[in-house]
Amino acid sequence: MACAWDFQFRVLLLGDSGVGKSALLLRYTEDVFADAPTHTVGVDFCSQEEEPEPGVRVRLQFWDTAGQERYRAVTRSYYRNAAAVVLLFDLTARRSFESIPEWHREVRERVCPLPLRFLLLGTKSDLRGQRGVTREEAQGMADALEAPYLETSARTGSNVRAALSLLCRELHRAACAGEYTPRGGWSGVPPAPLGGVETQEKQRRRCTC
Ligand code: GTP
Ligand code: MG
């Protein structure tokens, strides 16, 4: 029996507490929205499969980190060897937008060697009347970080799939262009933070199927 995917990429979600990292992933993986705030403790793990082009199966493996400062030492230990980082801020909370350069700097200092793909997301776009960051400002930040920018809503689902599918296509393209080299192995059991991308051939050596 063949393995279930051709590539897998590790994707880190970073941003201040409450910006909606967990809600975004819940919408993406289960197509549901939870109103009640539930702070992530340390790091949560989930995955989703995508088909960036017909017949190519990609598994995105997400590390959903806690934004609360008290978990920073734990979450930092997961930065290493990620293939991509999604930086999130809440469109209604300007402070979370102002934190983005700090999150970016922090991950760049700790993930070595690059290349790392970044994606910038402004969340809670459904709360139109409460907006505290303009699209132009956010696009300016994204340009400075050399990252695509999208505005998403986990509540309505707007742009959630589009954003993560865009990231998946870019990772697949980069892997095919030889811009990633698999580093280390991956046991498939979280939380071991090893290896940014792994091809099916490499995975087959570990796979029991
Ligand atoms: P930490 O785990 O503490 O880092 O927070 P988080 O970034 O994972 O935030 P979480 O996903 O728990 O969301 C925080 C709150 O924002 C919750 O009450 C969510 O229901 C709410 N929320 C998240 N996404 C949206 C959205 O798109 N629209 C609206 N209106 N609320 C949202
Ligand atoms: Mg969370």
Side-chain angles (χ1 to χ4, degrees):
M1 194 167 88
C3 287
W5 59 85
D6 301 302
F7 295 90
Q8 65 176 341
F9 301 101
R10 220 162 262 201
V11 179
L12 199 59
L13 271 75
L14 293 178
D16 286 2
S17 180
V19 298
K21 299 179 291 296
S22 302
L24 182 98
L25 282 182
L26 193 62
R27 172 61 77 188
Y28 178 56
T29 57
E30 297 180 30
D31 201 21
V32 295
F33 176 72
D35 245 320
T38 48
H39 292 298
T40 302
V41 174
V43 178
D44 277 343
F45 164 87
C46 70
S47 65
Q48 179 74 11
E49 269 143 46
E50 283 268 349
E51 199 173 277
E53 60 182 61
V56 176
R57 295 154 305 175
V58 171
R59 185 170 189 252
L60 297 176
Q61 186 190 38
F62 295 101
W63 302 116
D64 173 18
T65 66
Q68 288 180 306
E69 177 67 38
R70 63 177 141 152
Y71 297 116
R72 201 58 46 83
V74 178
T75 55
R76 276 180 186 141
S77 65
Y78 291 88
Y79 291 0
R80 199 164 54 90
N81 293 340
V85 178
V86 184
L87 297 169
L88 299 94
F89 68 93
D90 179 344
L91 285 161
T92 73
R94 192 163 179 89
R95 181 71 193 88
S96 68
F97 175 66
E98 292 166 352
S99 296
I100 290 293
E102 182 55 36
W103 285 111
H104 183 260
R105 186 164 41 251
E106 166 145 324
V107 77
R108 283 197 64 116
E109 280 169 5
R110 288 164 200 274
V111 179
C112 190
L114 299 173
L116 242 193
R117 259 58 190 176
F118 285 93
L119 171 66
L120 180 66
L121 298 183
T123 62
K124 310 190 189 181
S125 62
D126 55 287
L127 300 175
R128 288 200 176 80
Q130 299 170 43
R131 192 170 177 126
V133 180
T134 67
R135 183 181 283 274
E136 292 68 32
E137 284 177 297
Q139 188 60 60
M141 176 85 77
D143 292 345
L145 302 180
E146 298 182 359
Y149 171 65
L150 281 96
E151 299 189 347
T152 59
S153 168
R155 178 182 285 277
T156 66
S158 171
N159 265 346
V160 171
R161 179 154 295 281
L164 295 174
S165 296
L166 173 75
L167 183 64
C168 180
R169 286 197 301 279
E170 168 55 16
L171 287 169
H172 176 240
R173 187 208 60 72
C176 291
E179 294 171 20
Y180 283 115
T181 312
R183 282 165 288 178
W186 178 63
S187 64
V189 181
L194 299 170
V197 59
E198 189 165 270
T199 64
Q200 181 174 340
E201 187 182 352
K202 188 178 178 83
Q203 183 70 24
R204 198 178 283 131
R205 283 186 237 132
R206 300 170 195 285
C207 192
T208 52
C209 61

